[in-house]
Amino acid sequence: MREHDFQTKVIKFLKSEGYYVVNNLGSACQRRGISDLTACVKGRFVAIELKLHYNKLSDLQMYNIEAVTKSGGIGILLYDYAFEEFKDFIRNFQPDFKTDKYIVMM
């Protein structure tokens, strides 16, 4: 599976659950290291960095996803083989969920 295919799969799932989601396409005008997807899930800001099983998070991506978490949002590092775990997490997500670290689903 290519990362684009994985992005499409995650976007379709989030939209099917009724959530707002944006694919943050990289461009010369965009800040580097921004998460692949941003979403609003039950009123909470969620930044999702997608990775295929063989890819690693860059230092800049880690910095940005940690910044989202520190500011009260939810930062998720999602690997392709943990998609079912992600779906369960989103379906059972409670708006008062708190964490001081980004979530790794692998």
Side-chain angles (χ1 to χ4, degrees):
M1 176 185 322
R2 297 174 315 159
E3 190 166 306
H4 173 77
D5 299 328
F6 184 39
Q7 280 184 342
T8 300
K9 190 175 178 179
V10 174
I11 290 168
K12 284 183 180 179
F13 165 71
L14 289 168
K15 286 184 175 182
S16 75
E17 295 291 311
Y19 299 122
Y20 177 78
V21 60
V22 174
N23 183 353
N24 299 316
L25 300 171
S27 73
C29 298
Q30 185 181 33
R31 205 170 104 200
R32 295 183 63 186
I34 299 297
S35 61
D36 294 312
L37 303 175
T38 51
C40 186
V41 177
K42 298 181 182 175
R44 295 289 302 275
F45 180 85
V46 180
I48 306 165
E49 183 61 44
L50 303 173
K51 293 293 179 195
L52 300 180
H53 62 277
Y54 51 82
N55 289 341
K56 292 182 180 182
L57 197 63
S58 74
D59 290 341
L60 189 53
Q61 289 170 326
M62 183 180 300
Y63 170 82
N64 282 306
I65 207 161
E66 286 176 343
V68 166
T69 303
K70 287 178 183 174
S71 65
I74 307 296
I76 299 175
L77 170 57
L78 175 60
Y79 282 89
D80 55 339
Y81 46 82
F83 183 60
E84 292 303 315
E85 178 185 351
F86 171 75
K87 291 190 326 187
D88 289 341
F89 175 80
I90 293 297
R91 287 182 176 140
N92 296 305
F93 181 78
Q94 297 300 312
D96 61 351
F97 175 82
K98 295 196 189 294
T99 183
D100 59 351
K101 292 201 158 240
Y102 66 91
I103 299 163
V104 179
M105 294 189 176
M106 51 187 321

